[in-house]
Amino acid sequence: MMHRRLKKLYRGAGIGWYKTDLIYCLWIIYSSLINHLQAQDSKNKKYSEKDIPKIVLESFKKSYPNSEILGYDVGKEKGITTYEIETKEDNIFRDIEYKEDGTILEIGEIIGISTLPENIVNSINKKYKTGKILEAEKKTSGNEISYEVIVDFKNKKYEVLLSQNGNIIKESDEDDENEDD
């Protein structure tokens, strides 16, 4: 529809068919580029303290008074807006995810690979026999504990989520995920 309108507009202005088609193609490319850049910009948005509800900040400061804040993030999970505060206290790095009312949804704590429970390591070794664990994170959500590990296996990186008892909950190829970014 838009293409026909442009053709009429440009034909009326004395512009030939090939120029009309060229202008239309350039317009489509330009529009696509603008949409892509806007989507990337929203993904890469940097958040600050002013983007986080006061009650979330108060809850954080009460629970972690000695933590240094490294960054903030805002997201949506199951239709609920979430607020994440990235922190460091001594040598412990944490990502704490809150609901808007200041309730903690999940705490992610970077842990040393050597501190992973034996059953977690055994599950990874069973599935990725020649793989190497690169990173590990302990996730706490209420009373539930899970572990997220990054495994290098056959020159690919995999993100593996395991339950506390070592069952694999979810696996994803990090290379495939990064193509969407």
Side-chain angles (χ1 to χ4, degrees), residues 109-174:
E109 188 174 304
I110 305 298
I111 60 173
I113 296 164
S114 62
T115 64
L116 276 169
E118 187 177 344
N119 63 333
I120 302 297
V121 174
N122 291 341
S123 291
I124 293 296
N125 289 339
K126 183 178 177 184
K127 173 77 181 198
Y128 302 94
K129 290 178 181 30
T130 60
K132 180 179 179 187
I133 298 173
L134 302 176
E135 297 175 29
E137 181 177 3
K138 179 181 178 181
K139 295 179 168 274
T140 307
S141 182
N143 294 328
E144 290 184 33
I145 295 174
S146 59
Y147 294 88
E148 185 177 278
V149 297
I150 306 297
V151 180
D152 187 0
F153 180 66
K154 295 185 179 181
N155 296 321
K156 277 193 164 189
K157 290 187 176 119
Y158 294 88
E159 186 175 292
V160 184
L161 182 64
L162 300 104
S163 66
Q164 187 173 10
N165 61 10
N167 294 327
I168 294 176
I169 299 169
K170 183 180 173 186
E171 300 170 90
S172 59
D173 181 337
E174 276 198 339

Side-chain angles (χ1 to χ4, degrees), residues 42-55:
S42 67
K43 280 185 187 176
N44 297 328
K45 183 173 190 238
K46 300 288 183 197
Y47 294 95
S48 68
E49 188 172 320
K50 66 179 172 53
D51 298 311
I52 309 299
K54 186 177 179 182
I55 193 162

Side-chain angles (χ1 to χ4, degrees), residues 60 64-72 85-90 92-94 96:
F60 167 76
Y64 301 95
N66 300 320
S67 286
E68 172 189 354
I69 296 175
L70 302 175
Y72 302 94
I85 301 178
E86 300 164 15
T87 70
K88 177 185 176 196
E89 184 174 348
D90 299 322
I92 301 170
F93 290 87
R94 287 187 193 96
I96 306 146

